[in-house]
Amino acid sequence: MHKLILLSALCLSTTLLTACNERANNSKGNSDNIVWTDEQLAKNIALQPIASDGDESKFYIRLQGSEQPHYHDDHDLTVEVLTGTAVIHFKESSQSVKAGDTIVIKKGTYHWAENTGAEASVVIGTFTPKLQSKDFRLAE
C-alpha cells in the first residue's frame, strides 16, 4: 500500500515538473509560438504579457518601426532579442543588437529602440520590479 502511494506521488511530481518546465521554456523565448493579432501587426510596437510575479513582469515586445524617446522612472528593463535586428539609442550613444543579445537599461535612462531589419524584431522585455502601473515617460 505504501509503495502504491509513493509511486502515485512520484508520478504526479514528475508530471507537474514537466509541465512547469515546458511553461518556463516557452516564456524564455520561443518566438515561433507567439500569435500576434492583425491589430498588433499593424502597430509599430506591440506587447503581449508572458508572466508577472512579485519580482518582475515579462512581455513579448514586437517592434516594426521605432519607439519615441522615453524613460522608465521606476523599473530596470532587460531586453532579450529573440528575432531581428535593432539599434537601442541612448542620450550619448547607440548600441546595435541582434537575435541572441541581451541588454539592460537601468531605470531613469533615456532610450528608444529602432528596428533595423526588413522584418519586425521580437524581444522579451523584463521589467524589474513587477509593473504595478504604466512606467513610460516621453522625453521632452
Side-chain angles (χ1 to χ4, degrees):
M1 177 75 162
H2 288 89
K3 288 182 180 180
L4 182 58
I5 292 172
L6 183 59
L7 183 59
S8 295
L10 182 59
C11 288
L12 178 60
S13 296
T14 302
T15 302
L16 289 173
L17 285 173
T18 301
C20 289
N21 283 337
E22 286 176 6
R23 170 89 170 125
N25 288 338
N26 284 341
S27 71
K28 282 207 61 101
N30 186 349
S31 62
D32 296 337
N33 295 331
I34 308 168
V35 178
W36 299 100
T37 66
D38 289 340
E39 182 180 346
Q40 289 171 318
L41 292 172
K43 293 180 178 181
N44 274 342
I45 187 165
L47 283 80
Q48 282 195 31
I50 299 172
S52 188
D53 63 24
D55 297 325
E56 62 187 21
S57 297
K58 288 185 179 243
F59 297 86
Y60 288 118
I61 304 171
R62 181 182 183 277
L63 180 64
Q64 181 64 45
S66 63
E67 301 178 289
Q68 293 182 286
H70 63 279
Y71 301 86
H72 302 288
D73 293 319
D74 301 319
H75 297 84
D76 292 335
L77 172 61
T78 301
V79 177
E80 301 170 62
V81 184
L82 301 179
T83 64
T85 58
V87 174
I88 310 296
H89 299 276
F90 301 98
K91 198 165 234 157
E92 305 282 329
S93 65
S94 297
Q95 182 173 341
S96 295
V97 294
K98 63 186 180 324
D101 290 346
T102 299
I103 187 167
V104 176
I105 302 168
K106 294 293 187 181
K107 67 180 176 182
T109 301
Y110 170 98
H111 69 282
W112 58 282
E114 174 186 10
N115 184 60
T116 56
E119 300 293 323
S121 299
V122 178
V123 306
I124 293 178
T126 304
F127 290 88
T128 309
K130 175 183 174 180
L131 282 172
Q132 300 292 331
S133 61
K134 189 173 183 179
D135 182 16
F136 182 90
R137 177 174 54 91
L138 287 175
E140 298 174 2

